[in-house]
Short mmCIF file of all heavy atoms in Angstrom, two decimals:
data_model
loop_
_atom_site.label_atom_id
_atom_site.label_comp_id
_atom_site.label_asym_id
_atom_site.label_seq_id
_atom_site.Cartn_x
_atom_site.Cartn_y
_atom_site.Cartn_z
N MET A 371 46.25 -11.28 18.09
CA MET A 371 45.33 -12.30 17.83
C MET A 371 43.95 -12.10 18.40
O MET A 371 42.91 -12.42 17.76
CB MET A 371 45.95 -13.72 18.51
CG MET A 371 45.15 -14.93 18.21
SD MET A 371 45.21 -15.29 16.50
CE MET A 371 44.46 -16.75 16.48
N GLU A 372 43.91 -11.46 19.46
CA GLU A 372 42.64 -11.12 20.11
C GLU A 372 41.82 -10.19 19.20
O GLU A 372 40.61 -10.41 19.09
CB GLU A 372 42.86 -10.42 21.50
CG GLU A 372 41.57 -10.32 22.36
CD GLU A 372 41.93 -9.73 23.74
OE1 GLU A 372 42.81 -10.20 24.24
OE2 GLU A 372 41.16 -8.85 24.05
N ARG A 373 42.50 -9.19 18.62
CA ARG A 373 41.64 -8.34 17.70
C ARG A 373 41.11 -9.07 16.53
O ARG A 373 40.13 -8.72 16.11
CB ARG A 373 42.73 -7.20 17.28
CG ARG A 373 42.96 -6.16 18.24
CD ARG A 373 43.77 -5.00 17.63
NE ARG A 373 43.35 -3.86 18.38
CZ ARG A 373 43.76 -2.57 18.00
NH1 ARG A 373 44.51 -2.47 16.86
NH2 ARG A 373 43.43 -1.55 18.71
N VAL A 374 41.83 -9.93 16.00
CA VAL A 374 41.43 -10.75 14.83
C VAL A 374 40.27 -11.53 15.23
O VAL A 374 39.29 -11.58 14.49
CB VAL A 374 42.58 -11.53 14.22
CG1 VAL A 374 42.06 -12.48 13.24
CG2 VAL A 374 43.75 -10.70 13.65
N THR A 375 40.30 -12.23 16.33
CA THR A 375 39.22 -13.05 16.84
C THR A 375 37.97 -12.00 17.03
O THR A 375 36.85 -12.49 16.58
CB THR A 375 39.71 -13.65 18.22
OG1 THR A 375 40.73 -14.33 17.99
CG2 THR A 375 38.57 -14.59 18.67
N MET A 376 38.07 -10.92 17.76
CA MET A 376 36.99 -10.05 17.91
C MET A 376 36.40 -9.59 16.57
O MET A 376 35.23 -9.46 16.30
CB MET A 376 37.30 -8.88 18.75
CG MET A 376 37.60 -9.24 20.19
SD MET A 376 36.31 -10.10 21.10
CE MET A 376 35.08 -8.70 21.11
N TRP A 377 37.27 -9.32 15.67
CA TRP A 377 36.77 -8.83 14.29
C TRP A 377 36.10 -9.93 13.63
O TRP A 377 35.00 -9.74 13.11
CB TRP A 377 37.96 -8.47 13.48
CG TRP A 377 37.69 -7.90 12.14
CD1 TRP A 377 37.24 -6.68 11.87
CD2 TRP A 377 37.79 -8.62 10.91
NE1 TRP A 377 36.94 -6.53 10.50
CE2 TRP A 377 37.26 -7.68 9.89
CE3 TRP A 377 38.13 -9.82 10.51
CZ2 TRP A 377 37.28 -8.08 8.51
CZ3 TRP A 377 38.01 -10.26 9.13
CH2 TRP A 377 37.55 -9.39 8.15
N LEU A 378 36.58 -11.15 13.60
CA LEU A 378 35.78 -12.38 13.04
C LEU A 378 34.42 -12.58 13.63
O LEU A 378 33.46 -12.93 13.06
CB LEU A 378 36.74 -13.50 13.17
CG LEU A 378 37.93 -13.67 12.19
CD1 LEU A 378 38.81 -14.83 12.52
CD2 LEU A 378 37.43 -13.52 10.75
N ILE A 379 34.35 -12.43 14.99
CA ILE A 379 33.02 -12.55 15.75
C ILE A 379 32.15 -11.47 15.45
O ILE A 379 30.94 -11.74 14.98
CB ILE A 379 33.37 -12.51 17.36
CG1 ILE A 379 34.14 -13.80 17.72
CG2 ILE A 379 31.95 -12.36 18.05
CD1 ILE A 379 34.45 -13.77 19.20
N LYS A 380 32.58 -10.26 15.26
CA LYS A 380 31.65 -9.19 14.79
C LYS A 380 31.23 -9.39 13.32
O LYS A 380 30.12 -9.17 12.97
CB LYS A 380 32.41 -7.86 14.90
CG LYS A 380 32.58 -7.26 16.26
CD LYS A 380 33.37 -6.04 16.27
CE LYS A 380 33.53 -5.48 17.70
NZ LYS A 380 34.24 -4.22 17.67
N LEU A 381 32.11 -9.87 12.48
CA LEU A 381 31.79 -10.07 11.11
C LEU A 381 30.78 -11.18 11.02
O LEU A 381 29.74 -11.12 10.31
CB LEU A 381 33.05 -10.57 10.28
CG LEU A 381 32.94 -10.78 8.85
CD1 LEU A 381 32.41 -9.47 8.16
CD2 LEU A 381 34.20 -11.16 8.16
N ARG A 382 30.86 -12.25 11.79
CA ARG A 382 29.93 -13.39 11.89
C ARG A 382 28.63 -12.88 12.37
O ARG A 382 27.54 -13.26 11.97
CB ARG A 382 30.52 -14.43 12.78
CG ARG A 382 29.62 -15.68 13.03
CD ARG A 382 29.37 -16.51 11.85
NE ARG A 382 28.69 -17.56 12.29
CZ ARG A 382 27.83 -18.27 11.45
NH1 ARG A 382 27.86 -18.00 10.22
NH2 ARG A 382 27.06 -19.23 11.91
N LEU A 383 28.54 -12.07 13.40
CA LEU A 383 27.37 -11.58 13.88
C LEU A 383 26.50 -10.66 12.90
O LEU A 383 25.41 -10.79 12.69
CB LEU A 383 27.58 -10.80 15.10
CG LEU A 383 27.77 -11.57 16.47
CD1 LEU A 383 28.22 -10.64 17.60
CD2 LEU A 383 26.73 -12.53 16.79
N LEU A 384 27.30 -9.87 12.14
CA LEU A 384 26.71 -9.09 11.18
C LEU A 384 26.17 -9.81 9.97
O LEU A 384 25.11 -9.55 9.45
CB LEU A 384 27.76 -8.04 10.57
CG LEU A 384 28.03 -6.83 11.40
CD1 LEU A 384 29.12 -5.99 10.93
CD2 LEU A 384 26.82 -5.97 11.82
N ALA A 385 26.83 -10.97 9.72
CA ALA A 385 26.33 -11.85 8.59
C ALA A 385 25.11 -12.64 8.98
O ALA A 385 24.26 -12.85 8.22
CB ALA A 385 27.37 -12.73 8.10
N VAL A 386 24.90 -13.00 10.31
CA VAL A 386 23.89 -13.72 10.81
C VAL A 386 22.76 -12.93 11.06
O VAL A 386 21.59 -13.32 10.80
CB VAL A 386 24.34 -14.65 11.95
CG1 VAL A 386 23.16 -15.39 12.65
CG2 VAL A 386 25.42 -15.60 11.52
N GLU A 387 22.93 -11.89 11.91
CA GLU A 387 21.79 -11.02 12.30
C GLU A 387 21.63 -9.90 11.29
O GLU A 387 22.43 -9.10 11.14
CB GLU A 387 22.13 -10.59 13.72
CG GLU A 387 22.11 -11.61 14.77
CD GLU A 387 22.33 -11.06 16.11
OE1 GLU A 387 22.11 -9.74 16.31
OE2 GLU A 387 22.71 -11.87 16.99
N PRO A 388 20.48 -9.74 10.73
CA PRO A 388 20.27 -8.63 9.82
C PRO A 388 20.09 -7.19 10.67
O PRO A 388 19.83 -7.33 11.81
CB PRO A 388 18.95 -8.93 9.15
CG PRO A 388 18.20 -9.81 10.16
CD PRO A 388 19.35 -10.65 10.82
N VAL A 389 20.47 -6.23 10.00
CA VAL A 389 20.38 -4.95 10.65
C VAL A 389 19.00 -4.62 10.90
O VAL A 389 18.16 -4.86 9.97
CB VAL A 389 21.10 -3.87 9.84
CG1 VAL A 389 21.08 -2.57 10.44
CG2 VAL A 389 22.60 -4.26 9.61
N GLY A 390 18.67 -4.07 12.01
CA GLY A 390 17.28 -3.67 12.28
C GLY A 390 16.75 -2.63 11.35
O GLY A 390 17.48 -1.78 10.88
N ARG A 391 15.39 -2.67 11.26
CA ARG A 391 14.81 -1.64 10.32
C ARG A 391 14.78 -0.23 10.97
O ARG A 391 14.70 -0.12 12.24
CB ARG A 391 13.37 -2.02 10.03
CG ARG A 391 13.24 -3.26 9.13
CD ARG A 391 11.83 -3.69 8.85
NE ARG A 391 10.98 -2.43 8.78
CZ ARG A 391 9.62 -2.51 8.70
NH1 ARG A 391 9.10 -3.71 8.80
NH2 ARG A 391 8.85 -1.45 8.50
N ASP A 392 14.83 0.72 10.17
CA ASP A 392 14.73 2.20 10.62
C ASP A 392 13.29 2.53 10.73
O ASP A 392 12.60 2.57 9.68
CB ASP A 392 15.53 3.12 9.80
CG ASP A 392 15.56 4.48 10.22
OD1 ASP A 392 15.01 4.70 11.44
OD2 ASP A 392 15.94 5.41 9.43
N GLU A 393 12.79 2.54 11.84
CA GLU A 393 11.23 2.71 12.06
C GLU A 393 10.91 4.27 12.48
O GLU A 393 9.81 4.45 12.71
CB GLU A 393 10.77 1.83 13.23
CG GLU A 393 11.10 0.49 13.03
CD GLU A 393 9.89 -0.45 12.80
OE1 GLU A 393 8.84 0.02 13.02
OE2 GLU A 393 10.10 -1.58 12.50
N ARG A 394 11.90 5.16 12.08
CA ARG A 394 11.52 6.48 12.21
C ARG A 394 10.74 7.01 11.01
O ARG A 394 10.61 6.42 9.95
CB ARG A 394 12.83 7.30 12.18
CG ARG A 394 13.64 7.04 13.45
CD ARG A 394 14.84 7.99 13.47
NE ARG A 394 15.72 7.42 12.34
CZ ARG A 394 16.82 7.96 11.90
NH1 ARG A 394 17.16 9.16 12.51
NH2 ARG A 394 17.57 7.51 10.83
N GLY A 395 9.87 8.08 11.29
CA GLY A 395 9.08 8.68 10.35
C GLY A 395 7.70 8.18 10.47
O GLY A 395 7.25 7.56 11.51
N LEU A 396 6.74 8.58 9.56
CA LEU A 396 5.30 8.39 9.69
C LEU A 396 4.93 7.11 9.01
O LEU A 396 5.56 6.69 7.99
CB LEU A 396 4.46 9.54 9.12
CG LEU A 396 4.83 10.90 9.72
CD1 LEU A 396 4.08 12.01 9.06
CD2 LEU A 396 4.36 10.81 11.11
N SER A 397 3.75 6.43 9.39
CA SER A 397 3.21 5.31 8.70
C SER A 397 2.64 5.78 7.41
O SER A 397 2.30 7.03 7.24
CB SER A 397 2.29 4.61 9.54
OG SER A 397 1.11 5.33 9.81
N GLN A 398 2.47 4.92 6.46
CA GLN A 398 1.85 5.33 5.20
C GLN A 398 0.33 5.84 5.44
O GLN A 398 0.07 6.86 4.82
CB GLN A 398 1.75 4.03 4.24
CG GLN A 398 1.35 4.43 2.93
CD GLN A 398 2.33 5.24 2.20
OE1 GLN A 398 3.53 5.03 2.34
NE2 GLN A 398 1.87 6.13 1.31
N SER A 399 -0.45 5.34 6.34
CA SER A 399 -1.66 5.85 6.49
C SER A 399 -1.71 7.17 7.21
O SER A 399 -2.55 8.11 6.77
CB SER A 399 -2.57 4.87 7.37
OG SER A 399 -1.88 4.68 8.68
N THR A 400 -0.83 7.38 7.97
CA THR A 400 -0.73 8.80 8.64
C THR A 400 -0.29 9.84 7.55
O THR A 400 -0.84 10.77 7.51
CB THR A 400 0.25 8.81 9.84
OG1 THR A 400 -0.13 7.79 10.76
CG2 THR A 400 0.35 10.12 10.45
N GLU A 401 0.70 9.45 6.76
CA GLU A 401 1.05 10.21 5.64
C GLU A 401 -0.03 10.56 4.74
O GLU A 401 -0.23 11.75 4.32
CB GLU A 401 2.25 9.66 4.96
CG GLU A 401 2.89 10.60 3.97
CD GLU A 401 4.12 9.94 3.26
OE1 GLU A 401 4.75 8.99 3.93
OE2 GLU A 401 4.44 10.31 1.99
N ASN A 402 -0.85 9.63 4.36
CA ASN A 402 -2.01 9.89 3.51
C ASN A 402 -2.98 10.76 4.07
O ASN A 402 -3.56 11.52 3.38
CB ASN A 402 -2.58 8.51 3.12
CG ASN A 402 -1.78 7.70 2.15
OD1 ASN A 402 -0.87 8.27 1.48
ND2 ASN A 402 -1.96 6.38 2.01
N ALA A 403 -3.29 10.62 5.45
CA ALA A 403 -4.31 11.43 6.08
C ALA A 403 -3.79 12.76 6.07
O ALA A 403 -4.54 13.81 6.03
CB ALA A 403 -4.49 10.90 7.55
N ILE A 404 -2.47 13.13 6.39
CA ILE A 404 -1.98 14.52 6.29
C ILE A 404 -2.10 15.09 4.97
O ILE A 404 -2.44 16.26 4.96
CB ILE A 404 -0.58 14.50 6.86
CG1 ILE A 404 -0.43 14.12 8.35
CG2 ILE A 404 0.03 15.93 6.68
CD1 ILE A 404 0.87 13.92 8.85
N LEU A 405 -1.73 14.26 3.91
CA LEU A 405 -1.87 14.84 2.51
C LEU A 405 -3.37 15.12 2.17
O LEU A 405 -3.61 16.11 1.62
CB LEU A 405 -1.32 13.93 1.51
CG LEU A 405 0.20 13.79 1.56
CD1 LEU A 405 0.65 12.50 0.68
CD2 LEU A 405 0.92 15.06 1.24
N LEU A 406 -4.25 14.29 2.64
CA LEU A 406 -5.68 14.48 2.33
C LEU A 406 -6.26 15.73 3.02
O LEU A 406 -6.83 16.60 2.59
CB LEU A 406 -6.44 13.35 2.88
CG LEU A 406 -8.04 13.26 2.64
CD1 LEU A 406 -8.37 13.59 1.23
CD2 LEU A 406 -8.66 12.08 3.21
N ALA A 407 -5.82 15.96 4.39
CA ALA A 407 -6.17 17.19 5.15
C ALA A 407 -5.63 18.51 4.45
O ALA A 407 -6.39 19.48 4.26
CB ALA A 407 -5.69 17.07 6.52
N GLY A 408 -4.43 18.29 3.85
CA GLY A 408 -3.90 19.42 3.19
C GLY A 408 -4.64 19.72 1.91
O GLY A 408 -4.91 20.96 1.46
N ALA A 409 -5.07 18.65 1.13
CA ALA A 409 -5.83 18.88 -0.14
C ALA A 409 -7.17 19.47 0.18
O ALA A 409 -7.47 20.28 -0.63
CB ALA A 409 -5.81 17.54 -0.81
N VAL A 410 -7.84 19.05 1.24
CA VAL A 410 -9.18 19.58 1.54
C VAL A 410 -8.94 21.03 1.97
O VAL A 410 -9.86 21.81 1.66
CB VAL A 410 -9.82 18.71 2.70
CG1 VAL A 410 -10.90 19.44 3.34
CG2 VAL A 410 -10.15 17.39 2.24
N THR A 411 -7.95 21.42 2.69
CA THR A 411 -7.73 22.75 3.12
C THR A 411 -7.40 23.66 1.90
O THR A 411 -8.08 24.78 1.75
CB THR A 411 -6.43 22.87 4.05
OG1 THR A 411 -6.80 22.03 5.22
CG2 THR A 411 -6.25 24.31 4.53
N VAL A 412 -6.64 23.21 1.00
CA VAL A 412 -6.43 23.90 -0.16
C VAL A 412 -7.68 24.14 -1.07
O VAL A 412 -7.94 25.28 -1.57
CB VAL A 412 -5.24 23.33 -1.00
CG1 VAL A 412 -5.17 23.98 -2.35
CG2 VAL A 412 -3.98 23.47 -0.41
N ALA A 413 -8.38 23.11 -1.29
CA ALA A 413 -9.73 23.06 -1.94
C ALA A 413 -10.71 24.09 -1.30
O ALA A 413 -11.28 24.90 -1.89
CB ALA A 413 -10.32 21.71 -1.95
N GLY A 414 -10.74 23.99 0.04
CA GLY A 414 -11.54 24.98 0.75
C GLY A 414 -11.22 26.43 0.56
O GLY A 414 -12.08 27.29 0.34
N ILE A 415 -9.94 26.74 0.52
CA ILE A 415 -9.37 28.11 0.31
C ILE A 415 -9.73 28.48 -1.13
O ILE A 415 -10.37 29.64 -1.35
CB ILE A 415 -7.88 28.19 0.46
CG1 ILE A 415 -7.63 27.98 2.06
CG2 ILE A 415 -7.32 29.53 0.06
CD1 ILE A 415 -6.13 27.83 2.39
N VAL A 416 -9.59 27.74 -2.12
CA VAL A 416 -9.91 27.96 -3.55
C VAL A 416 -11.39 28.28 -3.65
O VAL A 416 -11.78 29.23 -4.29
CB VAL A 416 -9.44 26.90 -4.38
CG1 VAL A 416 -10.03 27.09 -5.84
CG2 VAL A 416 -7.83 26.76 -4.46
N ILE A 417 -12.12 27.48 -3.06
CA ILE A 417 -13.67 27.58 -3.15
C ILE A 417 -14.19 29.00 -2.53
O ILE A 417 -14.96 29.64 -3.08
CB ILE A 417 -14.37 26.42 -2.55
CG1 ILE A 417 -14.16 25.27 -3.32
CG2 ILE A 417 -15.98 26.70 -2.28
CD1 ILE A 417 -14.72 23.82 -2.75
N THR A 418 -13.59 29.25 -1.31
CA THR A 418 -13.85 30.55 -0.72
C THR A 418 -13.53 31.68 -1.47
O THR A 418 -14.23 32.76 -1.69
CB THR A 418 -13.18 30.59 0.66
OG1 THR A 418 -13.47 29.33 1.37
CG2 THR A 418 -13.46 31.90 1.48
N VAL A 419 -12.12 31.70 -2.07
CA VAL A 419 -11.73 32.78 -2.95
C VAL A 419 -12.67 32.99 -4.06
O VAL A 419 -13.06 34.16 -4.48
CB VAL A 419 -10.21 32.58 -3.32
CG1 VAL A 419 -9.89 33.64 -4.33
CG2 VAL A 419 -9.33 32.68 -2.08
N ILE A 420 -12.93 31.98 -4.81
CA ILE A 420 -13.81 32.03 -6.10
C ILE A 420 -15.22 32.42 -5.68
O ILE A 420 -15.79 33.28 -6.34
CB ILE A 420 -13.85 30.68 -6.72
CG1 ILE A 420 -12.48 30.26 -7.36
CG2 ILE A 420 -15.01 30.66 -7.77
CD1 ILE A 420 -12.24 28.96 -8.03
N THR A 421 -15.73 32.03 -4.58
CA THR A 421 -17.11 32.46 -4.17
C THR A 421 -17.07 33.96 -3.88
O THR A 421 -18.09 34.50 -4.25
CB THR A 421 -17.54 31.63 -2.95
OG1 THR A 421 -17.52 30.25 -3.24
CG2 THR A 421 -18.95 32.03 -2.55
N ALA A 422 -16.09 34.39 -3.08
CA ALA A 422 -16.00 35.80 -2.81
C ALA A 422 -15.84 36.66 -4.13
O ALA A 422 -16.46 37.77 -4.13
CB ALA A 422 -14.75 36.02 -1.84
N TYR A 423 -14.92 36.12 -4.99
CA TYR A 423 -14.85 36.99 -6.27
C TYR A 423 -16.12 37.04 -7.07
O TYR A 423 -16.49 38.09 -7.54
CB TYR A 423 -13.71 36.14 -7.09
CG TYR A 423 -13.55 36.82 -8.48
CD1 TYR A 423 -12.67 37.96 -8.62
CD2 TYR A 423 -14.11 36.35 -9.59
CE1 TYR A 423 -12.47 38.56 -9.89
CE2 TYR A 423 -13.97 36.97 -10.89
CZ TYR A 423 -13.09 37.95 -11.01
OH TYR A 423 -12.84 38.57 -12.19
N VAL A 424 -16.97 35.83 -7.21
CA VAL A 424 -18.06 35.97 -7.87
C VAL A 424 -19.14 36.75 -7.22
O VAL A 424 -19.86 37.57 -7.99
CB VAL A 424 -18.66 34.43 -8.11
CG1 VAL A 424 -20.02 34.32 -8.74
CG2 VAL A 424 -17.66 33.66 -9.02
N LYS A 425 -19.28 36.77 -5.89
CA LYS A 425 -20.22 37.52 -5.19
C LYS A 425 -19.86 39.02 -5.48
O LYS A 425 -20.71 39.86 -5.54
CB LYS A 425 -20.20 37.19 -3.84
CG LYS A 425 -21.00 35.92 -3.44
CD LYS A 425 -21.08 35.68 -1.96
CE LYS A 425 -21.97 34.32 -1.68
NZ LYS A 425 -22.09 34.11 -0.25
N ASN A 426 -18.59 39.35 -5.42
CA ASN A 426 -18.25 40.79 -5.59
C ASN A 426 -18.41 41.27 -6.98
O ASN A 426 -18.57 42.50 -7.18
CB ASN A 426 -16.80 40.94 -5.10
CG ASN A 426 -16.60 40.92 -3.69
OD1 ASN A 426 -17.44 41.19 -2.94
ND2 ASN A 426 -15.33 40.55 -3.28
N HIS A 427 -18.53 40.40 -7.91
CA HIS A 427 -18.66 40.84 -9.42
C HIS A 427 -20.07 40.67 -9.96
O HIS A 427 -20.32 40.91 -11.08
CB HIS A 427 -17.54 40.13 -10.28
CG HIS A 427 -16.19 40.66 -10.07
ND1 HIS A 427 -15.37 40.33 -9.02
CD2 HIS A 427 -15.53 41.71 -10.65
CE1 HIS A 427 -14.22 40.94 -9.04
NE2 HIS A 427 -14.34 41.83 -10.10
N LEU A 428 -20.93 40.17 -9.16
CA LEU A 428 -22.41 40.02 -9.52
C LEU A 428 -23.02 41.44 -9.52
O LEU A 428 -22.70 42.16 -8.75
CB LEU A 428 -23.17 39.11 -8.55
CG LEU A 428 -22.89 37.63 -8.85
CD1 LEU A 428 -23.63 36.88 -7.73
CD2 LEU A 428 -23.34 37.17 -10.18
N PRO A 429 -23.92 41.59 -10.56
CA PRO A 429 -24.64 42.97 -10.51
C PRO A 429 -25.56 42.98 -9.32
O PRO A 429 -26.26 41.97 -9.09
CB PRO A 429 -25.39 42.96 -11.92
CG PRO A 429 -25.32 41.58 -12.42
CD PRO A 429 -24.25 40.78 -11.66
N SER A 430 -25.67 44.16 -8.86
CA SER A 430 -26.56 44.35 -7.59
C SER A 430 -28.06 44.43 -8.05
O SER A 430 -28.61 45.01 -8.95
CB SER A 430 -26.17 45.51 -6.85
OG SER A 430 -24.95 45.38 -6.34
#
């Protein structure tokens, strides 16, 4: 009888109190900042490679 009572109490608590949110991970703004920094880095690399290529192939 004690097990059934404890089970009913647990069931009642789960029904009344919602499960807490999982707050692990990055916020949306942090994630956007990291993606923006990555995009700027990739763009900088592409611009550097294209500039070097054009300068090497220009007639002297």
